[in-house]
Amino acid sequence: MNSASRFLSAVSIATIVALGIAVWTNAKASEHESAHATSPANYLPSVSDLMIATIQPRHVKLWVAGQHHNWKLAAYEMETLTGAFRRLIQAHPEEDGVALKDIVDSVTQQPFADLDQAIHAKDETRFNKAYGDLTSGCNSCHQALNHGEVVIRTPKDSAFPNQEFAPTEP
Ligand code: HEC
C-alpha cells in the first residue's frame, strides 16, 4: 500500500465510524421521541381537570335523571360518579398533604348511600334531600382544601341538549 492509498483508507474508516455514530445517535433520538409519543402515562390530568371532565358533568346528569324519574339512568350516573371519585383518588392520593380518600369518604359516603336507597325506592323527595347532601359534600371539600371559591349548586337545567333524560323504556 502506498502512502496515498493508506491515507484514503484511513479517511474511509473515519467516515464509516462517523456515519455509524450518526446513525446510532439518530436511533437513540427517535427511541426517545417515540417513548414520549406512545406513553399515555406521561399526562396526568390534574385534580381540576378531573373535576371538570369526570365529576362535574355526572353530578349534573344524576340530578336531571332524578328529576325525570328515570331511576335506571340515575343509578347508572351514580355508579359512574362514584367511579370517577375512585379514579381521582388513584390518580391523586394526596392534595396539599391531605389523603384524598379520607376526605372523599367522609363527605360522600353517606349521601351516596342515601341516594342509592332513594333510587331503589324511586322516591323523589328522598333523592332530592340526598342530592343536596352530596352537593354540600362537594363544597365541604372545596372549603377544606382552600378552594371555597368553587361553589357547587343544584343544577337549574341540563347542560346536555343531546342526551335524552326521560325514561324511554316502559
Ligand atoms: C376530596 C375533595 C373534593 C371533593 C369531594 C370534590 N371536589 Fe371538586 N375540587 C377539589 C379540589 C381540590 C379542587 C381544586 C383543584 C385545583 O384547581 O387545583 C376542586 C375543583 C372543582 C371544580 C373547579 C374546576 C375548575 O377548574 O374550574 C369543580 C367544577 C368541582 N371541583 C366540582 C365538584 C363537584 C360537582 C363535586 C361533588 C360531586 C366535587 N367537586 C367534590 C376537591 C374536591
Side-chain angles (χ1 to χ4, degrees):
M1 212 183 257
N2 62 25
S3 66
S5 60
R6 208 174 295 132
F7 172 75
L8 276 179
S9 65
V11 167
S12 49
I13 286 167
T15 310
I16 288 164
V17 168
L19 268 177
I21 288 172
V23 167
W24 180 81
T25 317
N26 239 340
K28 279 282 159 210
S30 61
E31 227 174 67
H32 189 69
E33 275 160 26
S34 69
H36 266 289
T38 57
S39 170
N42 283 331
Y43 169 58
L44 177 66
S46 68
V47 172
S48 153
D49 290 343
L50 291 171
M51 287 288 153
I52 291 181
T54 73
I55 297 207
Q56 187 178 18
R58 292 183 172 121
H59 178 257
V60 173
K61 291 180 180 205
L62 177 58
W63 172 254
V64 181
Q67 300 320 291
H68 283 85
H69 297 177
N70 190 344
W71 304 114
K72 209 172 162 188
L73 181 62
Y76 170 83
E77 297 296 353
M78 197 188 95
E79 182 75 31
T80 57
L81 181 56
T82 52
F85 275 115
R86 241 187 353 258
R87 292 187 295 278
L88 168 78
I89 293 162
Q90 269 172 12
H92 298 275
E94 274 194 9
E95 178 77 0
D96 294 340
V98 180
L100 274 196
K101 183 179 186 320
D102 295 347
I103 187 156
V104 167
D105 284 353
S106 78
V107 301
T108 67
Q109 230 166 27
Q110 189 60 48
F112 277 136
D114 294 346
L115 276 165
D116 189 50
Q117 283 182 10
I119 289 169
H120 277 98
K122 303 184 181 191
D123 183 335
E124 188 183 356
T125 312
R126 258 165 88 182
F127 177 91
N128 290 353
K129 158 88 178 60
Y131 188 91
D133 293 345
L134 175 66
T135 305
S136 303
C138 307
N139 291 323
S140 304
C141 187
H142 293 165
Q143 284 156 15
L145 294 180
N146 297 318
H147 283 289
E149 69 277 21
V150 181
V151 179
I152 304 302
R153 62 175 193 201
T154 299
K156 296 215 189 294
D157 70 68
S158 163
F160 301 95
N162 60 350
Q163 184 171 356
E164 180 61 78
F165 286 93
T168 51
E169 291 169 7

